[in-house]
Amino acid sequence: MVVKFTLKIFKVAFIVFIVLNLFGLFLDYHMRNSNIFKINVLFNKKLPENIILGSSRSLTGINTDMLSKLTNKKWFNLSMDDTRIETHYLFYELLVELGKSPKKLLLQFDNSGMEIDSTTFFDNDYQILPFINSNKIVSNYFSHKKNYYLFKYLPIYKYVYFNVELFYPSFLLFFKPNYSHRFKQNGDYDYPKNMVMKKDDMQFSERFVNLDNRSLQKLFDLAKSHKTELIVYTAPIFKASTSIKNTKNLSYFDFTTTYSSHNCFSDDFHIAHNTKNDFTILLYRKFLK
Amino acid sequence: MLFNSFEFLLFLPIVFILHWFVFNKSLKWQNALVLLASYFFYGWWSWKFMGLLMLSTALDYAYGFWVASPNRKKAKLFLWLSVINNLGILGVFKYYNFFAKQFQAGFDLLGLHTNPVLLNIALPVGISFYTFHGMSYVFDIYRGKQQPVKSFVDYAVFVSFFPLLVAGPIERASHLLPQVQKERTFKYTQAVEGCRLILWGMFKKLVIADNLAQLVDPVFNIYPDHSSLSLILTAISFSFQIYCDFSGYSDIALGTAKLFGFELLLNFNLPYFSRSIPEFWKKWHISLSSWFRDYLYIPLGGSRVNFLITLRNTFIIFLVSGFWHGANWTFIFWGLIHAVFFLPSLFRKSKTVVKDENIVTFNIRTILQICLTFFIVTLAWIFFRSKSLNDALGFIKGMFCFDFKITHLKTFTHWIVFVKSTLGLLFLLFIEYFILLKGKTINKKVLFVIFLCILFLGSYRASVQFIYFQF
């Protein structure tokens, strides 16, 4: 009896395992061929020679169309919210590998994004997961993170673990094949126009950023070897200054204290929609004119 | 090790194969394997507290022999020593800080300022469960219901059997020990039923409890920011969260035990279909309420004494039950609310008998009774879940401000989680009403749907520990 039971359980488990993982492989293929996330755009679309990389602060804080008009060159915003320098380096590395190495790269960084390499998943790393088996650089990116082997060798695992973030959108794509998640055609994303900080009751804070970061250094080195003009800046923060440790003399510009009125911010970390154009012009005048 | 972890998915088949294919020739070896596996299971969480588990096991094993003494005076002395010993362990790890703070507050009121030493140690997982296992063993020997067990391994398996070690059900020596000592034969139907229960428990935990936790926890943390409607929805959600979390754990425990040929005590029997608070207590955490009934309520005289003593006993059992959950006034108040709503049944005792069996047909009266009972239980859960009595009262006050905006579903993700958990809840009610309440078993097709729900409706990213681990 116990043999019969055990064999039956293993048989059922084996069939389920195979079917589910084949389904996972199909979903990987389906997701990779869409343009749902920024990483898909990076792989699947032809990109201009000027790229913006960063977190939500450059995703929502720059008017890319305006920048294109001002500089008379096409720009694309590859920034992704909740990402760190490690992810930005991955994106740049992929651009180089795919022969899409930009001429100009505008890189935004902040203190939280510069923390030491972590073994935990960043909030939006799931978007990159469908490429884990199709690209070596992506696979390396995840290799030191938790549950790497499960994500790599069980294709269904990512769709179960991130069912809200990956599995449901994969179904949505059957009905809306051109759906893109939180970005427009130029890569920008806007918070609601009326989202402006109402109170000014925050304490002034000082943020510390350490530029002795392995990924940042690698990004600088890669840009140098591929002759990419790298422009690095910190975005404005409400009631804060940034203290930067820069022992390797990397060049950057600090915009932390550029705006002081709470009307310019949608929250303490993000400039409001009404200030976006002004900041874009500021960036243009400072670096790109 | 958590039941809903990848480690357990590997651990369980390995122990199963070793148990039935490698060590199947000898019961001694099977029990030794189960004990080793149980210690490994517990040690995965913390090796530090393994010593405490072993010490508690060894002491109660020894007390078992001493309490069995034909000299009743000596037996009684050791019985009390055993009680002091077990409650002492619980007292130090679970209640010391609470009492120290209460004494400090009391002395402060008298103008005497004290600065008590507080212990900065984590509560060992499962301590309330395994100490109660040990106590039940000693009590049963004292009452002559159980003989002391010769084999330490057998006794240790009873105390530490991994499916029930950290969150119950609280087993009785007279129920589980004979199963440990008897030659085990594999029963196909029992094992299949075990798998069904495991799957059903996983559904409750991952699809309902863990999804609801994502909506419930933030609201309880900052309840003043939320509208009445959101607070009401959150209170109801918590009722289902704790039910699915705990009964899910119990289902997995019962199912796992069945795979090894053990039958554990039923811990939940569709409690939210109860028509009164007394009926609720016959169906909720049955192993704990029956433990208190047998080892506290009945020795105090139970209900076979005059009305005032019965009243006293009822309040004692509910207050102790509340305090068992944790050293906080909120738990005591939770017990008190149940005691108060238990009272009507004491007044009506001679006229009506609390029904044990489940309802099969519904009418308006039954539905109203079920809703009223659920309302009282939900109200009491607010105290159970809140950090302090003030928070609980503030939460309840907020529920009656008649502000009907939805404030707790702020993001798109919140709405998706809400939809996921609502779908899960509807499915739970469907299964409980159409299948379990009518005594049927879940068939293969439904099991397949449950499996798919676990995969694609479950919450994995925000995995939450079982609530009863903290007790």
Side-chain angles (χ1 to χ4, degrees):
Chain A
M1 277 306 211
V2 68
V3 176
K4 186 185 159 195
F5 173 81
T6 312
L7 284 177
K8 193 167 180 182
I9 286 285
F10 275 98
K11 200 172 116 188
V12 172
F14 181 73
I15 292 169
V16 168
F17 178 84
I18 296 293
V19 170
L20 282 176
N21 281 296
L22 285 174
F23 182 53
L25 284 176
F26 165 72
L27 289 178
D28 274 352
Y29 174 81
H30 174 58
M31 289 293 272
R32 281 201 305 266
N33 284 299
S34 71
N35 284 315
I36 185 167
F37 301 127
K38 284 278 171 71
I39 183 95
N40 297 71
V41 174
L42 191 155
F43 273 100
N44 301 336
K45 277 197 170 174
K46 198 175 174 231
L47 291 172
E49 289 182 325
N50 305 294
I51 296 290
I52 302 163
L53 274 178
S55 64
S56 58
R57 296 180 340 112
S58 52
L59 176 72
T60 60
I62 295 175
N63 183 340
T64 304
D65 282 343
M66 183 187 242
L67 196 65
S68 296
K69 271 184 200 161
L70 288 169
T71 56
N72 217 10
K73 282 169 195 157
K74 199 105 175 87
W75 284 79
F76 187 84
N77 194 343
L78 261 183
S79 305
M80 243 169 84
D81 48 351
D82 292 322
T83 49
R84 301 179 191 194
I85 193 71
E86 222 183 308
T87 322
H88 309 151
Y89 174 64
L90 167 77
F91 275 32
Y92 180 48
E93 215 183 349
L94 287 171
L95 285 170
V96 171
E97 196 219 10
L98 296 167
K100 299 176 183 180
S101 183
K103 272 190 179 164
K104 276 188 180 150
L105 182 64
L106 187 59
L107 175 73
Q108 170 266 325
F109 71 92
D110 51 45
N111 61 336
S112 60
M114 298 295 280
E115 283 161 12
I116 52 164
D117 295 356
S118 161
T119 54
T120 54
F121 260 73
F122 304 144
D123 278 357
N124 282 332
D125 273 352
Y126 69 88
Q127 300 184 4
I128 306 163
L129 275 172
F131 294 88
I132 194 169
N133 284 318
S134 66
N135 187 286
K136 213 177 165 186
I137 295 174
V138 175
S139 179
N140 284 341
Y141 172 76
F142 285 109
S143 63
H144 61 284
K145 294 192 188 260
K146 209 180 153 193
N147 291 344
Y148 164 69
Y149 290 102
L150 294 175
F151 285 119
K152 183 151 173 83
Y153 296 110
L154 299 179
I156 194 64
Y157 186 70
K158 59 179 98 60
Y159 297 98
V160 171
Y161 192 84
F162 293 106
N163 52 26
V164 174
E165 297 85 355
L166 278 179
F167 181 67
Y168 301 162
S170 74
F171 263 78
L172 183 68
L173 284 174
F174 286 112
F175 305 102
K176 284 177 85 176
N178 296 322
Y179 172 71
S180 54
H181 181 70
R182 284 166 71 104
F183 65 91
K184 297 188 288 189
Q185 227 173 3
N186 57 10
D188 286 359
Y189 177 70
D190 289 327
Y191 286 141
K193 284 182 184 171
N194 56 359
M195 196 172 150
V196 176
M197 269 182 102
K198 286 185 183 115
K199 283 186 207 162
D200 182 9
D201 54 1
M202 285 184 60
Q203 295 289 315
F204 194 88
S205 65
E206 191 173 347
R207 291 160 200 273
F208 178 74
V209 180
N210 186 355
L211 293 188
D212 288 347
N213 178 291
R214 204 157 45 95
S215 294
L216 185 69
Q217 186 59 57
K218 283 199 286 188
L219 204 149
F220 267 87
D221 293 344
L222 197 62
K224 202 174 172 186
S225 61
H226 284 81
K227 292 181 179 143
T228 298
E229 186 186 335
L230 186 61
I231 300 150
V232 185
Y233 76 96
T234 60
I237 308 180
F238 181 59
K239 276 197 176 174
S241 67
T242 303
S243 152
I244 297 175
K245 186 185 171 195
N246 183 14
T247 50
K248 287 180 182 157
N249 285 326
L250 305 176
S251 60
Y252 65 91
F253 194 82
D254 184 4
F255 285 108
T256 312
T257 53
T258 303
Y259 300 108
S260 55
S261 164
H262 64 91
N263 292 321
C264 297
F265 291 87
S266 54
D267 59 40
D268 52 340
F269 260 102
H270 301 92
I271 53 173
H273 193 268
N274 57 21
T275 315
K276 194 171 167 170
N277 291 350
D278 186 66
F279 184 64
T280 307
I281 294 168
L282 199 69
L283 273 176
Y284 165 70
R285 285 190 185 143
K286 192 83 198 165
F287 303 120
L288 306 162
K289 202 170 176 180
Chain B
M1 196 182 295
L2 291 171
F3 281 159
N4 54 334
S5 66
F6 204 76
E7 296 86 49
F8 188 71
L9 198 66
L10 295 174
F11 169 84
L12 183 60
I14 292 171
V15 181
F16 178 85
I17 287 169
L18 290 174
H19 184 269
W20 291 114
F21 292 95
V22 181
F23 297 106
N24 54 333
K25 297 281 186 287
S26 151
L27 181 66
K28 269 187 184 175
W29 280 106
Q30 277 184 324
N31 283 342
L33 168 77
V34 171
L35 182 62
L36 202 70
S38 300
Y39 284 157
F40 181 81
F41 179 87
Y42 191 81
W44 193 267
W45 170 73
S46 169
W47 287 103
K48 272 193 303 186
F49 291 117
M50 284 279 293
L52 188 68
L53 169 64
M54 288 175 178
L55 177 74
S56 169
T57 309
L59 284 172
D60 284 326
Y61 174 71
Y63 281 124
F65 289 108
W66 295 327
V67 164
S69 161
N71 179 344
R72 293 309 281 170
K73 271 191 177 173
K74 190 179 161 193
K76 197 169 187 176
L77 174 73
F78 280 111
L79 177 78
W80 277 107
L81 279 176
S82 153
V83 171
I84 292 166
N85 183 80
N86 280 299
L87 295 184
I89 292 175
L90 264 182
V92 170
F93 286 94
K94 198 166 172 176
Y95 301 109
Y96 171 80
N97 283 354
F98 174 77
F99 282 116
K101 282 178 192 168
Q102 300 312 310
F103 278 120
Q104 186 186 23
F107 281 120
D108 282 352
L109 281 177
L110 297 171
L112 302 165
H113 295 291
T114 54
N115 197 12
V117 179
L118 297 177
L119 298 176
N120 186 20
I121 40 172
L123 181 69
V125 163
I127 189 168
S128 308
F129 293 91
Y130 65 72
T131 48
F132 270 46
H133 283 147
M135 283 165 84
S136 101
Y137 171 74
V138 178
F139 288 157
D140 281 355
I141 292 175
Y142 182 75
R143 290 165 162 194
K145 282 186 177 177
Q146 172 74 43
Q147 288 297 311
V149 183
K150 283 184 186 156
S151 159
F152 177 75
V153 173
D154 289 359
Y155 174 72
V157 168
F158 156 69
V159 176
S160 326
F161 185 35
F162 70 88
L164 51 80
L165 176 57
V166 287
I170 300 169
E171 272 294 336
R172 305 301 177 76
S174 51
H175 181 250
L176 186 58
L177 261 171
Q179 297 183 60
V180 176
Q181 293 172 304
K182 208 176 113 189
E183 203 74 42
R184 287 192 283 280
T185 49
F186 182 85
K187 294 185 196 93
Y188 188 86
T189 46
Q190 188 187 33
V192 171
E193 181 56 25
C195 292
R196 266 196 201 117
L197 273 172
I198 291 174
L199 216 57
W200 182 231
M202 289 287 184
F203 170 84
K204 284 180 180 173
K205 168 68 179 160
L206 293 167
V207 179
I208 302 175
D210 284 0
N211 275 317
L212 285 176
Q214 293 177 63
L215 304 177
V216 167
D217 294 347
V219 179
F220 269 97
N221 290 342
I222 42 160
Y223 66 88
D225 289 1
H226 292 281
S227 69
S228 304
L229 182 60
S230 283
L231 293 179
I232 291 167
L233 286 174
T234 301
I236 294 170
S237 300
F238 181 67
S239 292
F240 282 106
Q241 185 203 338
I242 193 165
Y243 168 57
C244 290
D245 194 284
F246 193 21
S247 74
Y249 184 93
S250 295
D251 286 342
I252 301 168
L254 263 71
T256 307
K258 277 177 191 286
L259 290 177
F260 294 90
F262 292 96
E263 290 292 339
L264 301 183
L265 291 169
L266 185 70
N267 219 11
F268 290 87
N269 184 15
L270 312 174
Y272 287 155
F273 285 105
S274 302
R275 285 153 287 184
S276 62
I277 292 297
E279 188 183 346
F280 175 80
W281 277 103
K282 291 196 168 206
K283 294 173 176 178
W284 177 276
H285 204 175
I286 301 166
S287 65
L288 179 73
S289 44
S290 61
W291 197 101
F292 279 126
R293 183 195 63 210
D294 293 348
Y295 300 120
L296 186 63
Y297 186 69
I298 292 174
L300 284 171
S303 58
R304 290 181 184 172
V305 281
N306 69 48
F307 180 75
L308 282 178
I309 304 282
T310 306
L311 197 70
R312 181 204 69 181
N313 294 347
T314 305
F315 271 87
I316 286 176
I317 198 170
F318 276 108
L319 293 179
V320 171
S321 174
F323 202 50
W324 176 88
H325 285 88
N328 194 333
W329 287 105
T330 52
F331 295 119
I332 296 170
F333 213 81
W334 169 77
L336 190 68
I337 291 173
H338 277 280
V340 168
F341 285 102
F342 198 91
L343 285 184
S345 76
L346 294 181
F347 289 114
R348 286 186 282 112
K349 210 180 109 194
S350 55
K351 292 174 198 162
T352 51
V353 178
V354 175
K355 294 161 195 157
D356 275 355
E357 75 280 6
N358 285 320
I359 335 146
V360 179
T361 51
F362 282 84
N363 54 39
I364 291 179
R365 184 184 151 87
T366 320
I367 292 169
L368 284 176
Q369 285 174 328
I370 290 172
C371 289
L372 182 65
T373 308
F374 182 75
F375 173 77
I376 295 164
V377 170
T378 299
L379 201 71
W381 283 135
I382 295 171
F383 286 90
F384 190 94
R385 175 62 182 78
S386 296
K387 282 180 190 147
S388 68
L389 285 180
N390 269 343
D391 283 343
L393 293 171
F395 192 103
I396 292 169
K397 198 177 157 196
M399 281 166 66
F400 295 99
C401 285
F402 303 104
D403 172 8
F404 295 110
K405 276 184 286 178
I406 289 186
T407 51
H408 71 306
L409 305 176
K410 285 176 188 157
T411 63
F412 184 63
T413 309
H414 284 147
W415 278 101
I416 292 187
V417 172
F418 179 73
V419 171
K420 274 167 71 174
S421 45
T422 308
L423 285 175
L425 271 176
L426 290 174
F427 193 66
L428 173 94
L429 292 175
F430 171 83
I431 299 283
E432 290 203 338
Y433 179 68
F434 287 103
I435 299 176
L436 303 178
L437 203 58
K438 291 172 182 169
K440 297 178 192 169
T441 48
I442 301 171
N443 66 30
K444 278 182 192 170
K445 283 177 194 165
V446 179
L447 274 181
F448 182 67
V449 177
I450 290 173
F451 179 67
L452 289 182
C453 286
I454 292 172
L455 289 183
F456 299 116
L457 289 179
S459 168
Y460 298 90
R461 201 174 175 183
S463 184
V464 185
Q465 262 214 352
F466 286 93
I467 294 173
Y468 265 69
F469 276 21
Q470 61 185 300
F471 308 134

